[in-house]
Short mmCIF file of all heavy atoms in Angstrom, two decimals:
data_model
loop_
_atom_site.label_atom_id
_atom_site.label_comp_id
_atom_site.label_asym_id
_atom_site.label_seq_id
_atom_site.Cartn_x
_atom_site.Cartn_y
_atom_site.Cartn_z
N PRO A 1084 2.01 -28.19 -5.81
CA PRO A 1084 3.42 -28.36 -6.09
C PRO A 1084 4.17 -27.01 -6.07
O PRO A 1084 3.56 -25.96 -6.31
CB PRO A 1084 3.47 -28.94 -7.51
CG PRO A 1084 2.09 -29.41 -7.79
CD PRO A 1084 1.15 -28.65 -6.92
N ASP A 1085 5.46 -27.06 -5.78
CA ASP A 1085 6.27 -25.82 -5.68
C ASP A 1085 6.19 -24.98 -6.97
O ASP A 1085 6.33 -23.76 -6.91
CB ASP A 1085 7.74 -26.16 -5.41
CG ASP A 1085 7.96 -26.36 -3.91
OD1 ASP A 1085 6.98 -26.24 -3.13
OD2 ASP A 1085 9.12 -26.64 -3.52
N ASP A 1086 6.03 -25.64 -8.11
CA ASP A 1086 6.01 -24.91 -9.35
C ASP A 1086 4.59 -24.61 -9.85
O ASP A 1086 4.39 -24.20 -10.99
CB ASP A 1086 6.83 -25.59 -10.44
CG ASP A 1086 6.28 -26.97 -10.78
OD1 ASP A 1086 5.37 -27.43 -10.08
OD2 ASP A 1086 6.76 -27.56 -11.77
N SER A 1087 3.58 -24.83 -9.01
CA SER A 1087 2.19 -24.50 -9.40
C SER A 1087 2.04 -22.99 -9.42
O SER A 1087 2.80 -22.24 -8.82
CB SER A 1087 1.20 -25.13 -8.45
OG SER A 1087 1.37 -24.57 -7.14
N MET A 1088 0.96 -22.55 -10.07
CA MET A 1088 0.68 -21.11 -10.15
C MET A 1088 0.54 -20.51 -8.73
O MET A 1088 1.05 -19.43 -8.45
CB MET A 1088 -0.59 -20.94 -10.96
CG MET A 1088 -0.90 -19.55 -11.39
SD MET A 1088 -2.38 -19.65 -12.41
CE MET A 1088 -2.93 -17.96 -12.32
N LEU A 1089 -0.18 -21.26 -7.87
CA LEU A 1089 -0.43 -20.75 -6.53
C LEU A 1089 0.84 -20.49 -5.74
O LEU A 1089 0.91 -19.58 -4.94
CB LEU A 1089 -1.37 -21.72 -5.78
CG LEU A 1089 -1.74 -21.37 -4.34
CD1 LEU A 1089 -2.30 -19.97 -4.21
CD2 LEU A 1089 -2.68 -22.39 -3.75
N MET A 1090 1.85 -21.36 -5.96
CA MET A 1090 3.08 -21.22 -5.17
C MET A 1090 4.15 -20.38 -5.87
O MET A 1090 5.23 -20.18 -5.33
CB MET A 1090 3.63 -22.61 -4.83
CG MET A 1090 2.70 -23.46 -4.00
SD MET A 1090 2.19 -22.66 -2.41
CE MET A 1090 3.36 -23.38 -1.27
N THR A 1091 3.82 -19.85 -7.05
CA THR A 1091 4.85 -19.03 -7.75
C THR A 1091 4.39 -17.63 -8.12
O THR A 1091 5.20 -16.76 -8.33
CB THR A 1091 5.29 -19.75 -9.07
OG1 THR A 1091 4.13 -20.06 -9.84
CG2 THR A 1091 6.07 -21.02 -8.77
N THR A 1092 3.04 -17.43 -8.24
CA THR A 1092 2.53 -16.13 -8.67
C THR A 1092 1.70 -15.54 -7.56
O THR A 1092 0.87 -16.25 -6.94
CB THR A 1092 1.63 -16.33 -9.93
OG1 THR A 1092 2.36 -17.04 -10.91
CG2 THR A 1092 1.15 -14.99 -10.49
N GLU A 1093 1.89 -14.25 -7.30
CA GLU A 1093 1.13 -13.62 -6.20
C GLU A 1093 -0.38 -13.75 -6.44
O GLU A 1093 -0.92 -13.26 -7.43
CB GLU A 1093 1.46 -12.12 -6.16
CG GLU A 1093 0.74 -11.40 -5.04
CD GLU A 1093 1.04 -9.91 -5.02
OE1 GLU A 1093 1.30 -9.32 -6.10
OE2 GLU A 1093 0.99 -9.34 -3.93
N PRO A 1094 -1.10 -14.43 -5.53
CA PRO A 1094 -2.52 -14.64 -5.77
C PRO A 1094 -3.38 -13.39 -5.46
O PRO A 1094 -4.43 -13.20 -6.06
CB PRO A 1094 -2.90 -15.79 -4.86
CG PRO A 1094 -1.84 -15.89 -3.84
CD PRO A 1094 -0.63 -15.18 -4.35
N PHE A 1095 -2.98 -12.58 -4.51
CA PHE A 1095 -3.72 -11.36 -4.16
C PHE A 1095 -5.20 -11.63 -3.97
O PHE A 1095 -6.07 -10.97 -4.55
CB PHE A 1095 -3.50 -10.27 -5.21
CG PHE A 1095 -3.34 -8.91 -4.62
CD1 PHE A 1095 -2.24 -8.61 -3.84
CD2 PHE A 1095 -4.28 -7.91 -4.81
CE1 PHE A 1095 -2.10 -7.33 -3.26
CE2 PHE A 1095 -4.15 -6.65 -4.24
CZ PHE A 1095 -3.03 -6.38 -3.47
N GLY A 1096 -5.50 -12.60 -3.12
CA GLY A 1096 -6.88 -12.96 -2.84
C GLY A 1096 -6.98 -13.93 -1.69
O GLY A 1096 -5.96 -14.30 -1.08
N PRO A 1097 -8.20 -14.39 -1.37
CA PRO A 1097 -8.41 -15.21 -0.17
C PRO A 1097 -8.05 -16.67 -0.42
O PRO A 1097 -8.92 -17.54 -0.38
CB PRO A 1097 -9.92 -15.04 0.08
CG PRO A 1097 -10.51 -14.80 -1.27
CD PRO A 1097 -9.47 -14.06 -2.07
N ILE A 1098 -6.81 -16.95 -0.66
CA ILE A 1098 -6.41 -18.33 -0.96
C ILE A 1098 -5.04 -18.59 -0.32
O ILE A 1098 -4.16 -17.74 -0.37
CB ILE A 1098 -6.38 -18.58 -2.49
CG1 ILE A 1098 -6.04 -20.01 -2.82
CG2 ILE A 1098 -5.45 -17.61 -3.21
CD1 ILE A 1098 -6.33 -20.40 -4.28
N ALA A 1099 -4.92 -19.77 0.33
CA ALA A 1099 -3.68 -20.16 1.00
C ALA A 1099 -3.24 -21.51 0.46
O ALA A 1099 -4.04 -22.42 0.39
CB ALA A 1099 -3.88 -20.23 2.50
N GLY A 1100 -1.97 -21.62 0.05
CA GLY A 1100 -1.42 -22.90 -0.35
C GLY A 1100 -0.60 -23.46 0.81
O GLY A 1100 0.27 -22.76 1.33
N CYS A 1101 -0.88 -24.71 1.23
CA CYS A 1101 -0.25 -25.25 2.43
C CYS A 1101 0.47 -26.58 2.13
O CYS A 1101 -0.14 -27.48 1.57
CB CYS A 1101 -1.32 -25.52 3.49
SG CYS A 1101 -2.34 -24.10 3.87
N VAL A 1102 1.73 -26.64 2.51
CA VAL A 1102 2.51 -27.86 2.27
C VAL A 1102 3.29 -28.25 3.54
O VAL A 1102 3.73 -27.37 4.28
CB VAL A 1102 3.54 -27.69 1.12
CG1 VAL A 1102 2.81 -27.54 -0.21
CG2 VAL A 1102 4.43 -26.49 1.35
N PRO A 1103 3.47 -29.57 3.78
CA PRO A 1103 4.31 -29.97 4.91
C PRO A 1103 5.80 -29.88 4.50
O PRO A 1103 6.12 -30.02 3.33
CB PRO A 1103 3.89 -31.45 5.12
CG PRO A 1103 3.35 -31.92 3.81
CD PRO A 1103 2.87 -30.71 3.07
N TYR A 1104 6.65 -29.64 5.48
CA TYR A 1104 8.11 -29.68 5.21
C TYR A 1104 8.81 -30.54 6.24
O TYR A 1104 8.29 -30.76 7.35
CB TYR A 1104 8.67 -28.27 5.16
CG TYR A 1104 8.95 -27.61 6.52
CD1 TYR A 1104 10.15 -27.85 7.20
CD2 TYR A 1104 8.06 -26.71 7.10
CE1 TYR A 1104 10.42 -27.25 8.43
CE2 TYR A 1104 8.32 -26.11 8.31
CZ TYR A 1104 9.49 -26.39 8.97
OH TYR A 1104 9.75 -25.81 10.19
N LYS A 1105 10.00 -30.99 5.86
CA LYS A 1105 10.84 -31.82 6.77
C LYS A 1105 11.95 -30.99 7.40
O LYS A 1105 12.13 -30.99 8.60
CB LYS A 1105 11.52 -32.93 5.94
CG LYS A 1105 10.81 -34.25 5.89
CD LYS A 1105 11.80 -35.27 5.22
CE LYS A 1105 11.09 -36.44 4.56
NZ LYS A 1105 10.09 -37.12 5.36
N ASP A 1106 12.67 -30.26 6.53
CA ASP A 1106 13.94 -29.67 6.95
C ASP A 1106 13.86 -28.14 6.87
O ASP A 1106 13.47 -27.59 5.82
CB ASP A 1106 15.04 -30.20 6.02
CG ASP A 1106 16.37 -29.55 6.30
OD1 ASP A 1106 16.92 -29.80 7.40
OD2 ASP A 1106 16.82 -28.75 5.47
N LEU A 1107 14.25 -27.45 7.94
CA LEU A 1107 14.08 -25.99 7.97
C LEU A 1107 14.95 -25.29 6.93
O LEU A 1107 14.50 -24.39 6.25
CB LEU A 1107 14.37 -25.46 9.38
CG LEU A 1107 14.21 -23.96 9.54
CD1 LEU A 1107 12.77 -23.50 9.24
CD2 LEU A 1107 14.61 -23.50 10.94
N GLN A 1108 16.22 -25.67 6.86
CA GLN A 1108 17.12 -24.98 5.90
C GLN A 1108 16.60 -25.11 4.46
O GLN A 1108 16.64 -24.16 3.70
CB GLN A 1108 18.56 -25.53 6.00
CG GLN A 1108 19.33 -25.00 7.21
CD GLN A 1108 19.40 -23.48 7.28
OE1 GLN A 1108 19.30 -22.77 6.28
NE2 GLN A 1108 19.56 -22.94 8.49
N ASP A 1109 16.11 -26.30 4.15
CA ASP A 1109 15.58 -26.53 2.83
C ASP A 1109 14.32 -25.67 2.59
O ASP A 1109 14.11 -25.12 1.49
CB ASP A 1109 15.24 -28.03 2.63
CG ASP A 1109 14.70 -28.30 1.24
OD1 ASP A 1109 15.40 -27.95 0.27
OD2 ASP A 1109 13.55 -28.78 1.14
N THR A 1110 13.56 -25.49 3.65
CA THR A 1110 12.35 -24.67 3.54
C THR A 1110 12.69 -23.21 3.34
O THR A 1110 12.02 -22.49 2.57
CB THR A 1110 11.48 -24.87 4.79
OG1 THR A 1110 11.23 -26.26 4.90
CG2 THR A 1110 10.15 -24.16 4.71
N ILE A 1111 13.73 -22.74 4.02
CA ILE A 1111 14.17 -21.35 3.81
C ILE A 1111 14.59 -21.14 2.36
O ILE A 1111 14.27 -20.15 1.71
CB ILE A 1111 15.29 -20.98 4.81
CG1 ILE A 1111 14.74 -20.98 6.24
CG2 ILE A 1111 15.92 -19.64 4.48
CD1 ILE A 1111 15.79 -20.84 7.35
N ARG A 1112 15.27 -22.16 1.82
CA ARG A 1112 15.68 -22.08 0.42
C ARG A 1112 14.45 -22.03 -0.52
O ARG A 1112 14.38 -21.22 -1.44
CB ARG A 1112 16.53 -23.33 0.07
CG ARG A 1112 17.09 -23.35 -1.33
CD ARG A 1112 17.64 -24.72 -1.73
NE ARG A 1112 16.66 -25.79 -1.59
CZ ARG A 1112 15.61 -26.00 -2.39
NH1 ARG A 1112 15.42 -25.18 -3.43
NH2 ARG A 1112 14.76 -26.98 -2.19
N ARG A 1113 13.39 -22.83 -0.18
CA ARG A 1113 12.17 -22.80 -0.99
C ARG A 1113 11.47 -21.44 -0.85
O ARG A 1113 10.99 -20.87 -1.81
CB ARG A 1113 11.21 -23.91 -0.55
CG ARG A 1113 11.64 -25.29 -1.00
CD ARG A 1113 10.94 -26.35 -0.20
NE ARG A 1113 9.61 -26.68 -0.68
CZ ARG A 1113 8.76 -27.44 -0.02
NH1 ARG A 1113 9.06 -27.90 1.19
NH2 ARG A 1113 7.58 -27.73 -0.52
N ALA A 1114 11.47 -20.94 0.37
CA ALA A 1114 10.85 -19.62 0.60
C ALA A 1114 11.54 -18.54 -0.23
O ALA A 1114 10.88 -17.63 -0.73
CB ALA A 1114 10.89 -19.28 2.09
N ASN A 1115 12.86 -18.69 -0.39
CA ASN A 1115 13.63 -17.66 -1.13
C ASN A 1115 13.67 -17.91 -2.64
O ASN A 1115 14.32 -17.14 -3.36
CB ASN A 1115 15.09 -17.65 -0.63
CG ASN A 1115 15.19 -17.11 0.77
OD1 ASN A 1115 14.30 -16.43 1.25
ND2 ASN A 1115 16.29 -17.42 1.45
N SER A 1116 12.99 -18.97 -3.10
CA SER A 1116 13.19 -19.38 -4.49
C SER A 1116 12.46 -18.51 -5.49
O SER A 1116 12.69 -18.60 -6.70
CB SER A 1116 12.75 -20.83 -4.65
OG SER A 1116 11.34 -20.91 -4.43
N LEU A 1117 11.57 -17.61 -5.03
CA LEU A 1117 10.83 -16.76 -5.96
C LEU A 1117 11.51 -15.39 -6.08
O LEU A 1117 12.26 -14.99 -5.18
CB LEU A 1117 9.39 -16.58 -5.46
CG LEU A 1117 8.54 -17.83 -5.30
CD1 LEU A 1117 7.11 -17.44 -4.92
CD2 LEU A 1117 8.54 -18.66 -6.57
#
Side-chain angles (χ1 to χ4, degrees):
D1085 275 1
D1086 61 352
S1087 63
M1088 191 175 160
L1089 178 54
M1090 298 304 264
T1091 54
T1092 306
E1093 180 182 30
F1095 219 66
I1098 183 167
C1101 306
V1102 292
Y1104 79 84
K1105 265 190 205 310
D1106 175 68
L1107 182 60
Q1108 283 303 336
D1109 180 57
T1110 304
I1111 293 172
R1112 184 194 55 73
R1113 286 161 84 190
N1115 290 341
S1116 64
L1117 301 185

